[in-house]
């Protein structure tokens, strides 16, 4: 078994190794630590709270099931988002659609007549629309970079491409977003 | 990389800040629901038997609902197709049955003709005794005191 020193120093990798060895009590700690990042990653991609929760739970189930075969070859974030991205792509294929629905403001906030709030809401809708105008690979790459604060190398590993490919996607995504935001904001 | 305007950069910075936010939180039942799913999966081999319908019940439900609606639609179309020619056939069968049932319940003319004779025979056999009483009474000599009769049987003696 190959266990890199980088991976070994990751506390979540340590928890996963304990789970692999049969210590199921650490599973809750992993869930508590990663449920927020996962749900928000899925939420920005799918714009559906229910689907986001479903998929986040699915990630943890996959994690639990695959624990006996786990090998600490990478940081835990790389491992968990690799699973998450596969599930996301499966979900896109399942629904046979690109997620282009506009955000439902009711999902996030109570209704209000406050003007400044409405402006904020409009900006948020513009951001969401711009994000969902991106192809899946560019959107995932920029979400992992900006939302999850992962490195280019980690994103490359998650998305199974080279680092330069990730940089190209990010660059193209930012060019698109600049244009989209210029038109809408 | 092309140089962008300050306004656009400002928008992009705001976008990056927005992207860095975590706007949604897991529901209060997230951990419980997850644990229940895992418990189910420990009993059932989900990959081979159930697949994603257990792992993702809401999506599984949607899929089952879709399948059921498609199945119902197919049944409705098939039913409508059958109904288009089965309905007149069924109506004709009901009319034919009603006609034969009516025919069966109508009185038989042969039996109807024979009925008066039968009735006479019955009446004559039943009232034979009564007829003989009337015949005897008709021959009673005038002045006879009928009040002294003790019974019908005594009529014969009474006439003598």
């Amino acid at each position: 078994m190959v266990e890199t020193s980088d991976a070994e120093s990751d506390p979540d990798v340590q928890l996963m190794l304990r789970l692999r060895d049969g210590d199921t009590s650490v599973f809750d700690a992993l869930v508590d630590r990663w449920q927020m990042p996962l749900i928000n990653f899925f939420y920005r991609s799918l714009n559906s709270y229910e689907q986001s929760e479903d998929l986040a739970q699915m990630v943890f189930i996959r994690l639990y099931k695959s624990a006996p075969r786990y090998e600490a070859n990478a940081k835990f974030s790389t491992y968990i988002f690799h699973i998450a991205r596969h599930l996301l792509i499966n979900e896109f294929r399942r629904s046979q659609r690109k997620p282009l629905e506009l955000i439902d403001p009711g999902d996030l906030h109570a209704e209000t007549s406050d003007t400044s709030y409405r402006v904020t809401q409009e900006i948020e809708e513009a951001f969401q629309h711009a994000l969902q105008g991106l192809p899946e690979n560019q959107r995932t790459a920029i979400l992992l970079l900006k939302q999850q604060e992962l490195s280019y190398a980690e994103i490359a590993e998650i998305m199974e491409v080279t680092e330069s490919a990730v940089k190209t996607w990010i660059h193209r995504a930012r060019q698109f977003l600049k244009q989209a935001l210029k038109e809408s904001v | 990389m092309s140089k962008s305007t300050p306004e656009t950069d400002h928008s992009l910075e705001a976008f990056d800040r927005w992207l860095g936010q975590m706007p949604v939180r897991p529901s209060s039942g997230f951990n419980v629901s997850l644990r229940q799913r895992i418990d189910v999966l420990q009993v059932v081999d989900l990959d081979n038997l159930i697949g994603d319908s257990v792992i993702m019940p809401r999506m599984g439900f949607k899929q089952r609902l879709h399948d059921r609606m498609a199945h119902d639609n197919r049944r409705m179309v098939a039913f409508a197709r059958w109904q288009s020619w089965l309905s007149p056939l069924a109506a004709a069968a009901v009319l034919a049955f009603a006609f034969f049932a009516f025919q069966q319940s109508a009185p038989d003319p042969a039996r109807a003709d024979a009925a008066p004779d039968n009735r006479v025979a019955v009446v004559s056999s039943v009232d034979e005794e009564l007829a003989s009483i009337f015949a005897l009474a008709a021959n009673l000599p005038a002045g006879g005191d009928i009040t002294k009769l003790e019974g019908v049987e005594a009529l014969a003696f009474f006439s003598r």
Side-chain angles (χ1 to χ4, degrees):
Chain A
M1 183 187 299
V2 182
E3 294 183 358
T4 63
S5 58
D6 249 11
E8 281 176 349
S9 64
D10 185 340
D12 292 327
V13 167
Q14 293 303 316
L15 290 177
M16 196 62 196
L17 288 171
R18 283 171 61 187
L19 184 65
R20 180 191 69 184
D21 296 338
D23 182 1
T24 53
S25 66
V26 299
F27 183 66
D28 286 344
L30 284 170
V31 172
D32 289 342
R33 162 78 182 84
W34 288 97
Q35 56 185 348
M36 275 277 283
L38 281 173
I39 289 175
N40 280 280
F41 169 73
F42 287 126
Y43 184 76
R44 287 291 187 224
S45 300
L46 295 163
N47 204 23
S48 160
Y49 182 76
E50 282 192 358
Q51 279 182 306
S52 302
E53 266 211 355
D54 265 335
L55 286 173
Q57 291 198 350
M58 178 76 172
V59 171
F60 289 119
I61 290 166
R62 287 275 170 95
L63 200 74
Y64 191 89
K65 277 187 68 195
S66 61
R69 301 184 300 279
Y70 178 71
E71 291 181 11
N73 294 328
K75 285 181 74 178
F76 187 75
S77 55
T78 309
Y79 181 68
I80 201 166
F81 277 104
H82 185 78
I83 297 172
R85 200 221 173 189
H86 273 274
L87 290 173
L88 185 63
I89 291 171
N90 285 346
E91 178 53 24
F92 287 154
R93 284 181 186 149
R94 184 198 295 266
S95 56
Q96 294 287 307
R97 66 176 167 77
K98 198 177 168 189
L100 282 174
E101 301 156 11
L102 285 174
I103 192 168
D104 177 5
D107 265 7
L108 300 174
H109 309 284
E111 281 188 24
T112 172
S113 58
D114 183 56
T115 311
S116 63
Y117 176 76
R118 269 190 281 116
V119 171
T120 309
Q121 197 173 318
E122 282 170 15
I123 291 171
E124 188 161 291
E125 283 177 21
F127 285 168
Q128 186 72 33
H129 195 269
L131 180 65
Q132 295 191 343
L134 291 170
E136 184 277 328
N137 53 5
Q138 292 179 24
R139 183 173 54 243
T140 299
I142 205 159
L143 271 169
L144 293 173
L145 184 75
K146 295 292 178 183
Q147 187 191 52
Q148 304 298 328
E149 298 177 335
L150 301 182
S151 68
Y152 285 107
E154 286 174 294
I155 297 168
E157 203 170 342
I158 290 166
M159 301 182 79
E160 296 173 309
V161 291
T162 61
E163 251 185 84
S164 61
V166 173
K167 285 176 182 170
T168 305
W169 286 343
I170 298 284
H171 174 69
R172 285 180 186 163
R174 294 186 78 76
Q175 291 298 312
F176 172 85
L177 289 167
K178 274 180 194 172
Q179 192 59 38
L181 296 172
K182 195 176 175 181
E183 288 167 6
S184 60
V185 177
Chain B
M1 187 184 291
S2 63
K3 188 161 183 164
S4 39
T5 63
E7 292 81 19
T8 312
D9 283 344
H10 182 72
S11 297
L12 207 53
E13 280 169 18
F15 178 83
D16 285 347
R17 280 198 300 278
W18 171 81
L19 207 58
Q21 292 170 359
M22 302 268 184
V24 289
R25 296 182 174 279
S27 63
S28 55
F30 184 90
N31 287 21
V32 175
S33 166
L34 176 62
R35 177 55 64 187
Q36 283 173 345
R37 285 189 188 188
I38 288 172
D39 289 345
V40 169
L41 298 180
Q42 282 174 335
V43 177
V44 183
D45 182 354
L46 72 156
D47 282 337
N48 295 331
L49 297 177
I50 299 180
D52 288 349
S53 61
V54 164
I55 306 169
M56 306 162 93
R58 291 192 192 107
M59 292 173 195
F61 172 75
K62 285 176 189 168
Q63 186 61 43
R64 284 196 300 279
L65 190 66
H66 177 267
D67 291 348
R68 177 178 287 186
M69 286 174 72
H71 178 68
D72 287 350
N73 283 344
R74 281 197 298 274
R75 285 181 61 188
M76 287 292 286
V77 168
F79 177 72
R81 194 182 298 131
W82 278 86
Q83 197 185 27
S84 63
W85 65 269
L86 203 61
S87 295
L89 203 66
V94 168
L95 283 173
F97 176 77
F99 175 74
F100 283 114
F102 176 74
Q103 285 249 314
Q104 290 294 319
S105 64
D108 187 356
R111 288 177 64 190
D113 290 345
D117 290 342
N118 291 341
R119 278 199 296 273
V120 169
V122 170
V123 169
S124 59
S125 64
V126 169
D127 294 341
E128 192 175 352
E129 190 180 359
L130 197 63
S132 66
I133 291 167
F134 279 113
L136 288 169
N139 293 325
L140 285 175
D145 189 0
I146 295 175
T147 57
K148 290 180 179 175
L149 280 174
E150 292 178 355
V152 175
E153 296 82 8
L155 271 171
F157 306 102
F158 187 75
S159 63
R160 287 174 192 162

